[in-house]
Each structure stands twice: as structure tokens, then as C-alpha cells.
Amino acid sequence: MSETTQATLAGATGKAYEARAYAASSASSGLASTRIRRREPRPQDVRLEVLFCGVCHSDLHQVRNEWQNTMPTVYPCVPGHEIVGRVTKAGRDVRKLKEGDLAAVGCMVDSCRTCAACREGQEQFCDGPATFTYNSTDIHLGGVTYGGYSDSIVVDEAFVLRVSDRLEPAGAAPLLCAGITTYSPLRHWNVRKGQKVGVVGLGGLGHMAVKLAGAFGARVVVFTTSAGKAEDAMRLGAHDVVVSRNAAEMQKHLGSFDFILDTVSAVHDLNAYLELLKRDGTLTMVGAPEAPLPVGVFSLLFRRRRLAGSLIGGIRETQEMLDFCAEHGITSDVEVIPVQKINEAYDRLAKGDVKYRFVVDMASLK
Ligand code: NAP
Ligand code: ZN
Ligand code: ZN
């Protein structure tokens, strides 16, 4: 019996209520209004009224089934993993939150809690694997988990984050994925004052990387394919901007970077960026293009360069990032939209036409 079948049977008894949501029914259908089942909160669960949900490029990849070889999409698909909401119910065992609190949910809603990764607070690497906020097996109700393009969500308190009242809720929503996905590798590779750091791609993740690397004291250079974003890059805190299609501009930076974070969502040439690293420098991929990217190994051999990857961040680190952002006044630059504009927003996101994150105002779903 497959895991999903077992879960479906096990979940048949789960108590549920109906919630409103926006879902895609196929890779080409776009998203439309629907109703979904959510579990009734258990003693350890928190129910949030979703106030704002960011639109990540991963939502688009998943809805359009662009990752079909690694993470095929199960339809209907309710995306959304940058969720800020108000607690409307806290189960009797919930300790860290109470009704009325501002809270958040990111890319994960559960994990095994016992494997080495979980014990180290790196639930994103759970052997289980982790239960992602959408398109993961739902062990409670069967089928798959449904994300934040919805009026409410029910999550175990261990996977719910506290949000400071100092953070503006719409601008805070993208921190739950774009924020932590850039914060975590910058911290892991110890980006600090005196270092030269490159950010490739100025989109949702890229603009957060510029703000965060700047806050850690690094000298930040943005690589963009969009000459029109140069002024914004400087306003966001970059010290220099390179239009990556210009070979002469790229040449000026050969062998000079300590660390480069690549946030590009489409297939592109990595080798040009490897050449920009210093000896022992690291290029870390967070962007997740659907097809493999060829690597010329000589760029790695000479100067002992490293090519790495990073996936979101653990729950403890996500809370640390939210607290850091509250302390330093860092939020995302957002374009708030009603949910009815979601398909238009996806088309614009596919073209790189967003400054710098769409966030859905869920009040529009009522
Ligand atoms: P986004 O807002 O669309 O930004 C991506 C940027 O990449 C664009 O703004 C554009 O920047 C650049 N770009 C797009 N097409 C390009 C091309 N053909 N060649 C070169 N550059 C191109 O997307 P996002 O939400 O930041 O997400 C970026 C990627 O990270 C996606 O693949 C997403 O799935 C992935 N992701 C990974 C994780 C993780 O845990 N690793 C978490 C979240 C998202 P310019 O206009 O400046 O060139
Ligand atoms: Zn995301
Ligand atoms: Zn685990």
C-alpha cells in the first residue's frame, strides 16, 4: 500500500471544517476560488486567520508542475508558504501563543522531530521528510497539505512563529520564505563585515539577500539581467550593480568574491559566477531552475572554489531571523494584491516583473 493510500485511510476519521481557498486544478488551469477541508485544531494546534500570504516563485513552479521530476504536483494545489495571520484558536496545550496574537507559518508544518536533523533544529532536512506547507502528504485528513492562499490554516504550535508587533504584517509575510532562505545561507557561510558578497537575481529572494547581507556588514554587488533594476538595487543597499549580460562589466569582478548567493529561478550560466569567486570562495544556489545547470569543473579546481546549495531554514533559525528583522526594521518591499489578481501576478512573476514580492491580502477572499 502506498504512503498516500495509508494516509487517506488513516485520515478518513479526522474531524474537519471547511475553509475558503484559491487552488489550481491542473498545471495549465490557473488558480480559482474553492473550498477545502482543514482539520479541527488538536490540543497542540493553533488556528490562524490568514491576513497576508506572499507569492513565492516556488508557488509558480509547483502550480505549473515545473518540478515534475523531483516534486510532482498533486492537484488541486493550494500554494502559499509565506503566511502571516492572527491566532483565532490555541489548543489547550499550546504555550507560546494565545488568541489574538500575530503569528506566522512558513514552508513547513511538521517533521519527525526525532532524526538527527530535527534534533539539531534543521527540520527542513528531516529524514521523514518534513511535511511542507503544501503538496506534502497530510497524515491527518489524507491527500496533500494545503497552503496559505486560504482564509485559515491549522498548524502544530511547534511550526508556528511569533511575529513582533513592530513588523508590518504584509511586509513581514515574505520573510517566512524569501527572508529565511537568504538569511540561513548568509549565516551558515558566516557572511560578515569586510567581505564582498554577490547576489544574483533581484527578485523576491534577491532583494531580501541584499538587505540582509547589508545588515551583516558585507559589501554587496547585485547581478541582474534587468538594467532597469539598477537604481532599486542601490536603494536596497547594494554597493555596486552589474548587468550580467555585459561581459566587460563581469570581467571587472573576476576572482574577487568571498561568497555569491544565486537566487535565479531559470536556467542560466553558473560558470560565469564561479569565475568571480576568490580562492576558497563559495557560490550557493537557492534558486531552483527546473533543468540541470552545466558546471565546468576547472572553475572549481583552480582556486579550490565551492558550489553549494541551501534549503529554507529550520524553525529556530526562522524565529531568530524574524526577531533580527524586527530589531533592524527589515521587511520586504511588497505589492499587495487581492486574491482575484493572482493569475495576473503569476504571469508577471514569470517575466520578472515584480517589485519585489507580491503579497495577497486575504481579506479579499471573504
Ligand atoms: P523571483 O522573484 O521571480 O526572482 C527571480 C529572479 O531571477 C528574477 O527577478 C530575475 O532577476 C532573475 N531571473 C529570472 N529569469 C532569469 C533568467 N532567464 N536568467 C537570469 N536571471 C533570471 O523568484 P523568487 O521567489 O525570488 O525565487 C527564486 C528562485 O528560488 C525560484 O527558483 C524559487 O523556486 C527558489 N526558491 C528556493 C528556495 C530554497 O529553499 N532553496 C526557497 C524559495 C525559493 P533579474 O531581473 O535581476 O535578473
Ligand atoms: Zn518560497
Ligand atoms: Zn526529522
Side-chain angles (χ1 to χ4, degrees):
M1 197 186 285
S2 76
E3 243 180 68
T4 318
T5 323
Q6 278 179 357
T8 308
L9 293 179
T13 54
K15 276 200 190 158
Y17 72 95
E18 219 175 53
R20 287 170 190 266
Y22 252 58
S25 53
S26 78
S28 57
S29 64
L31 293 127
S33 177
T34 190
R35 299 207 177 229
I36 55 168
R37 290 169 77 230
R38 296 280 193 202
R39 70 171 182 269
E40 285 293 347
R42 301 165 301 161
Q44 67 270 45
D45 284 339
V46 172
R47 179 161 63 204
L48 299 184
E49 174 196 356
V50 180
L51 299 176
F52 294 99
C53 186
V55 178
C56 180
H57 206 114
S58 300
D59 300 350
L60 187 154
H61 288 304
Q62 195 80 63
V63 159
R64 298 189 178 173
N65 206 11
E66 291 174 354
W67 294 331
Q68 54 187 296
N69 298 326
T70 35
M71 285 183 277
T73 306
V74 178
Y75 297 97
C77 173
V78 178
H81 56 207
E82 293 184 336
I83 301 163
V84 168
R86 192 68 70 186
V87 177
T88 53
K89 172 136 200 194
R92 65 170 183 271
D93 296 342
V94 170
R95 291 287 163 267
K96 71 179 180 196
L97 292 152
K98 57 179 190 324
E99 277 177 34
D101 284 351
L102 200 58
V105 175
C107 301
M108 296 179 284
V109 289
D110 212 342
S111 73
C112 85
R113 330 261 179 121
T114 56
C115 74
C118 284
R119 288 201 311 269
E120 284 168 31
Q122 312 254 4
E123 301 88 350
Q124 73 276 32
F125 303 123
C126 172
D127 292 339
T131 305
F132 292 98
T133 305
Y134 60 86
N135 206 57
S136 267
T137 301
D138 183 338
I139 59 162
H140 305 284
L141 296 178
V144 288
T145 51
Y146 292 134
Y149 297 5
S150 178
D151 57 3
S152 66
I153 190 163
V154 178
V155 179
D156 190 302
E157 80 158 326
F159 285 77
V160 182
L161 291 311
R162 282 174 277 102
V163 177
S164 161
D165 288 331
R166 280 187 286 172
L167 285 171
E168 189 269 308
L175 300 179
L176 277 300
C177 178
I180 185 61
T181 301
T182 51
Y183 183 94
S184 183
L186 292 170
R187 283 293 197 219
H188 182 78
W189 277 277
N190 194 17
V191 162
R192 58 196 179 275
K193 196 169 164 54
Q195 288 194 323
K196 185 173 170 186
V197 169
V199 173
V200 188
L202 196 64
L205 268 57
H207 94 291
M208 288 312 308
V210 173
K211 292 187 186 203
L212 291 167
F216 299 161
R219 186 179 161 74
V220 182
V221 179
V222 166
F223 295 89
T224 179
T225 57
S226 314
K229 291 182 184 172
E231 216 174 281
D232 281 348
M234 301 302 280
R235 176 182 55 79
L236 290 164
H239 298 82
D240 201 356
V241 185
V242 174
V243 177
S244 50
R245 300 199 203 278
N246 183 329
E249 272 190 64
M250 293 287 282
Q251 285 280 329
K252 279 195 259 169
H253 293 273
L254 281 178
S256 67
F257 283 88
D258 297 282
F259 183 75
I260 299 178
L261 191 66
D262 186 327
T263 75
V264 173
S265 52
V267 171
H268 61 291
D269 179 24
L270 283 190
N271 301 294
Y273 295 103
L274 288 171
E275 290 294 328
L276 304 188
L277 292 171
K278 278 182 181 168
R279 174 164 56 83
D280 290 321
T282 302
L283 168 63
T284 296
M285 292 299 307
V286 284
E290 69 253 40
L293 307 177
V295 173
V297 294
F298 283 97
S299 327
L300 297 173
L301 308 188
F302 285 90
R303 302 196 194 211
R304 200 166 48 198
R305 294 164 170 132
R306 284 171 289 209
L307 174 60
S310 188
L311 182 72
I312 47 174
I315 294 297
R316 193 159 62 217
E317 194 174 41
T318 304
Q319 188 64 62
E320 176 190 303
M321 176 276 310
L322 284 169
D323 297 345
F324 179 90
C325 288
E327 193 180 319
H328 293 264
I330 297 174
T331 50
S332 171
D333 288 23
V334 299
E335 182 174 339
V336 178
I337 56 163
V339 72
Q340 292 79 8
K341 292 252 180 196
I342 193 72
N343 293 312
E344 204 178 297
Y346 272 39
D347 289 341
R348 284 181 51 198
L349 186 58
K351 289 187 287 192
D353 174 23
V354 50
K355 292 184 172 175
Y356 278 90
R357 196 59 140 187
F358 289 115
V359 170
V360 181
D361 179 351
M362 277 309 157
S364 62
L365 191 55
K366 291 197 179 112

